[in-house]
Amino acid sequence: MAGGTLSPRRGTMDKVEQILSEFRLNKEDLKEVMKRMQLEMGRGLRLETHAEASVKMLPTYVCSTPEGSEVGDFLALDLGGTNFRVMLVKVAADEERSWKVETKTQMYSIPEDAMTGTAEMLFDYIAECMSDFLDKHHIKHKKLPLGFTFSFPVRHEDIDKGILLNWTKGFKASGAEGNNVVGLLRDAIKRRGDFEMDVVAMVNDTVATMISCYYEDRSCEVGMIVGTGCNACYMEEMKTVELVEGEEGRMCVNTEWGAFGKNGELEEFRLEYDKVVDETSINPGHQLYEKLISGKYMGELVRLVLMKLVNEDLLFNGEASELLKTRGSFETRYVSQVESDIGDRKQIYNILSSLCVLPSELDCDIVRLVCESVSTRSAHMCGAGLAGVLNLMRERRSQEALNITVGVDGSVYKLHPCFRERFHKIVRDLTPHCEITFIQSEEGSGRGAALISAVAYGSSGLLRTVKDMNLQTGNSPLEDVI
Ligand code: GLC
């Protein structure tokens, strides 16, 4: 009977789909996530609730300012993902007075022991890379102004001063938390003694992304990263940023939304796999929202679901290889590769073979379903967060419709074949009164850091403290910044 050969496949698929259905979030769920995110954002902004809020809403001291900026060479550093980058950025004005930026970049991988040793070791390594870069480009004799993109939660006191609240994304260097990050960098440069630098600005990668996109599109007032980590920043009304004095204009706020969930806000959405990912991570109990979304965790989530299906005898004949049983073996880039394979299953087959399992066609189809479930939930969860930010901005500005551009960067957003579309669709579904443009930032971390340094350097003092700032109400935020 024809049905006889089909039914085992159908039977298995039904059971698999049943297990994967837990990853599906309907619109009501997402609205709930969005509402809770907005609540925490409000609590993060208010002085009296800030301490216990899970979303910290950190002021960045990046504001609108009527002053122009400096032109010339800037060094930019980018620390926060798997690699550390040093860039030489030339900021220049062309005839139309917009800024032209040219860059030279060098990437350095961060050794595990520098990530998890002491802060001194980490910053010595950074200074060593800088020294190497300056040698290569024959600019060691110059004391360049430097912009530092440091992609961790920092409580700023100024644009060039701020303490690291806690490490995220697998970093753990001891003796850094609670300390001024720019001070740690300056000390390491001093210890070497073979070059000098003028550190003028430190920014989060979301902020650098927003600034670099603002250069192309003056409506860009939101920056977002979906890469190793996940986070967003946006221009908030000064009067609601209670942690900083001043009422006029807007300041960019680094939401640090990756920490959402710390107060139990995500409990009914976290699955058994999420709990394992969290418990086996370097920072259990922290960054729970980020752990549902970002590239640091996505591959491992898929691996845990595959193991569940093996244990239920629904995959690979109920047997996993030693490699597949090993934590971290299913890399996040495989998720993108698996979902790109919509034809002959060749890529899926190759990936699974490299993990020492020999899959049937049905196995390959199941693995693709698992990847789709995990990455779709990631896009939807992240979309609920961004929709929360955008709806909040619209409310604040009392606008009928919000016309806004979001600058985005990060490997998951850029490299996954379907993340973007799923994400855009959900954000638009949840923000009926917003007209949203998404733009991808190119080299945003470096360019953004250099551009904001050019401002900080050129208008000495103006960006640095709020009381010095001569903000003009009604000005487009960041106007004339770049
Ligand atoms: C983590 C960091 C945050 C950063 C994000 C993206 O969430 O805490 O500062 O922006 O990763 O890199």
Side-chain angles (χ1 to χ4, degrees), residues 45 47 63-64 236-251 396 465-474:
L45 285 169
L47 262 178
C63 312
S64 44
E236 175 58 281
E237 308 306 311
M238 265 303 280
K239 56 180 178 294
T240 61
V241 185
E242 291 188 5
L243 271 66
V244 177
E245 273 175 46
E247 299 284 305
E248 304 280 293
R250 293 173 187 153
M251 180 182 276
R396 291 269 199 270
T465 58
V466 168
K467 61 183 178 305
D468 284 342
M469 274 190 321
N470 184 15
L471 291 160
Q472 292 169 0
T473 333

Side-chain angles (χ1 to χ4, degrees), residues 58 79-81 150-154 164 166-169 204-207 224-233 254 256-259 287 290 294 409:
L58 302 168
L79 178 73
F150 182 75
S151 311
F152 300 95
V154 167
L164 171 65
N166 52 273
W167 286 116
T168 54
K169 300 177 287 193
N204 188 259
D205 50 356
T206 55
V207 181
M224 189 185 75
I225 304 283
V226 199
T228 308
C230 179
N231 189 18
C233 72
N254 167 15
E256 284 297 331
W257 76 18
Q287 301 295 108
E290 178 164 86
S294 79
D409 207 341

Side-chain angles (χ1 to χ4, degrees), residues 164-183:
L164 171 65
L165 292 179
N166 52 273
W167 286 116
T168 54
K169 300 177 287 193
F171 278 70
K172 202 80 197 178
S174 61
E177 291 176 352
N179 282 318
N180 174 18
V181 183
V182 173

